[in-house]
Amino acid sequence: MEQRSETFGIVSGSGIFPILLAQNLKQAGKRVVAVAHYGETSHSLSDYVDRCVWIRLGQLGKIIKVLKKERASRAAFAGGISRVKMFRGSVLPDRRGLSLLWRVKSVKDDVILRALAEELESEGIEVVSGADYIKDCVPVCNQLTTRGLTEYEAFQAQIGWKAAKKIGEEDIGQTVVVSNGMVVAVEAVEGTDEAILRGGKLSSKRGAVVVKVSKPHQDLRLDLPTIGVGTIEKMKEAGATALILEKGKTMILDPASVIREADEAGIAIALFEEGDFGGA
Amino acid sequence: MEQRSETFGIVSGSGIFPILLAQNLKQAGKRVVAVAHYGETSHSLSDYVDRCVWIRLGQLGKIIKVLKKERASRAAFAGGISRVKMFRGSVLPDRRGLSLLWRVKSVKDDVILRALAEELESEGIEVVSGADYIKDCVPVCNQLTTRGLTEYEAFQAQIGWKAAKKIGEEDIGQTVVVSNGMVVAVEAVEGTDEAILRGGKLSSKRGAVVVKVSKPHQDLRLDLPTIGVGTIEKMKEAGATALILEKGKTMILDPASVIREADEAGIAIALFEEGDFGGA
């Protein structure tokens, strides 16, 4: 009897995370089926998977249908869906999507993702964390760059960490920008890049520290805080000098390039975990 | 013996609050001395007070010197000082200002104001709330406009109130914008108007609710949350439909115009207090 390899589904958003995940899964010998979103997912994803089905935002029923038909035993969510787009109503839910949205009565992305994950699991498809399959991208060390934090940056980091966790508790956002001992920008729906740029404009000449952490109640399987080369570029533009991330809970897309870019710009990337700042 | 009227000092920032306060104090028969800030305070303030001394941002020593020399027995802070300006280093502290900034080791405006108030009080000048002298501008009713909140707006208000109080606890800002059940913008250093406009861009077609509350630890003598006609204009621009304020803890500058403007735009202004949303 022919040994058939396991089929793995990727529910794909934007950016290179779906591609990285697909590459890693293929290397591990799996058959990979992607459900990709028009206007979000990179067209080149098709080149890295065995099958790629394109859907519109909100066609949740179709996600389930495709993954069942392809007999995926596991699935992961990978890549962001623009919260702004989701939010501005450019979503055309199918029947199952509508019923799900009606049930969760929320447009918060993590609530929707959690509900979608439950639907997939009720159909016998295990939802796993994509990060587990590209472990190199989820660092657990204290420092990524050649340079560590200055004392001044570490002081700012502490202020930002506390604020960012509070904001996460309220499910508002993940990122804050700190300068001169003050939170100068808080991310809500506009996204990390916009918050960094705004923070830069409001920062003192000594520069700013960017803190991005997971929300306390976040389902990390579904939505890991993610940064990439673009984040470092925005930080350069904003005059930010250090990036603070959460150890073991942050996805770094293309870590080699991120670290090189940060080192070249003199930006420090440091990782902490809850206890480090004396808090809970 | 000649009965000399009490001298009242106004440490004046921007906007019309210093002028309103001066008018009310003069009507009450007081002699009024203003310490006005170049680049912040309206030039016309001079017309409403007995004496107006102009200083640069940070000349804290001079504030004390002027008020002592003029034998002010009471003083109030009135009008904002641009946090952005204060923050971007366009401040030239005098010797006493420097020593105060060194002592408080903070650029947070309320920390600085509190320290300045302490200095004034140690010199025998009582620091009082300007709002107490223009009571018509601090409403304690439930609703200012003809229209009250819709059920949908009240639901958004609740989400926003909770988030805004959390953000205030962390001393980040006072204002949030809520749309479609989500906090879409959080004010940090950029100021209320900017946060409202950003929130508008990120809001759903059903519009947004703006919530502005006092910080839990705010010294309301020194810095009452304040709105004016400009706030309503920004809300119109942003497509926001309701403004939520804190009862007895918000200064409305030129309330008649604010209410007329809001009524004409169909914007509801509602006031709540802590217990109203079931929280502490």
Side-chain angles (χ1 to χ4, degrees), chain A residues 160-182:
Chain A
W161 184 280
K162 197 164 159 254
K165 282 291 176 188
K166 266 277 153 74
I167 280 142
E169 251 173 46
E170 291 299 302
D171 207 5
I172 295 171
Q174 304 178 325
T175 310
V176 302
V177 182
V178 183
S179 181
N180 228 352
M182 265 173 82

Side-chain angles (χ1 to χ4, degrees), chain A residues 61-83:
Chain A
K62 196 156 178 193
I63 294 175
I64 295 163
K65 210 166 138 192
V66 169
L67 295 183
K68 273 190 73 176
K69 197 178 150 219
E70 296 290 332
R71 297 179 197 280
S73 52
R74 284 179 208 186
F77 295 79
I81 297 291
S82 152
R83 290 182 82 173

Side-chain angles (χ1 to χ4, degrees), chain A residues 253-271:
Chain A
L253 297 174
D254 191 359
S257 302
V258 166
I259 293 165
R260 192 182 56 241
E261 186 95 6
D263 271 338
E264 278 172 17
I267 290 171
I269 304 180
L271 298 104

Side-chain angles (χ1 to χ4, degrees), chain A residues 10-158:
Chain A
I10 304 179
V11 183
S12 311
S14 63
I16 68 165
F17 179 20
I19 293 174
L20 280 175
L21 179 57
Q23 284 180 315
N24 278 273
L25 289 167
K26 289 299 292 175
Q27 266 168 28
K30 300 198 192 297
R31 179 171 172 265
V32 181
V33 175
V35 183
H37 287 85
Y38 287 121
E40 293 282 345
T41 307
S42 160
H43 286 292
S44 54
L45 178 61
S46 318
D47 304 338
Y48 298 88
V49 296
D50 295 287
R51 189 144 187 248
C52 190
V53 180
W54 292 85
I55 65 167
R56 285 192 307 276
L57 216 51
Q59 293 188 289
L60 307 181
K62 196 156 178 193
I63 294 175
I64 295 163
K65 210 166 138 192
V66 169
L67 295 183
K68 273 190 73 176
K69 197 178 150 219
E70 296 290 332
R71 297 179 197 280
S73 52
R74 284 179 208 186
F77 295 79
I81 297 291
S82 152
R83 290 182 82 173
V84 171
K85 239 186 249 173
M86 192 152 86
F87 192 68
R88 288 303 293 266
S90 15
V91 179
L92 291 168
D94 56 19
R95 209 163 59 89
R96 192 139 184 185
L98 262 179
S99 105
L100 183 149
L101 287 170
W102 176 251
R103 181 156 52 77
V104 302
K105 285 188 184 59
S106 169
V107 292
K108 287 181 181 167
D109 44 5
D110 48 354
V111 175
I112 294 175
L113 284 177
R114 214 172 296 142
L116 178 55
E118 276 166 25
E119 298 250 333
L120 288 171
E121 300 219 303
S122 76
E123 300 281 355
I125 301 163
E126 188 191 357
V127 176
V128 296
S129 170
D132 290 346
Y133 296 82
I134 47 171
K135 280 208 180 290
D136 294 349
C137 300
V138 184
V140 291
C141 57
N142 295 325
Q143 183 179 324
L144 285 180
T145 44
T146 312
R147 174 170 93 72
L149 295 184
T150 65
E151 206 179 315
Y152 181 67
E153 286 166 341
F155 166 67
Q156 313 264 64
Q158 186 164 10

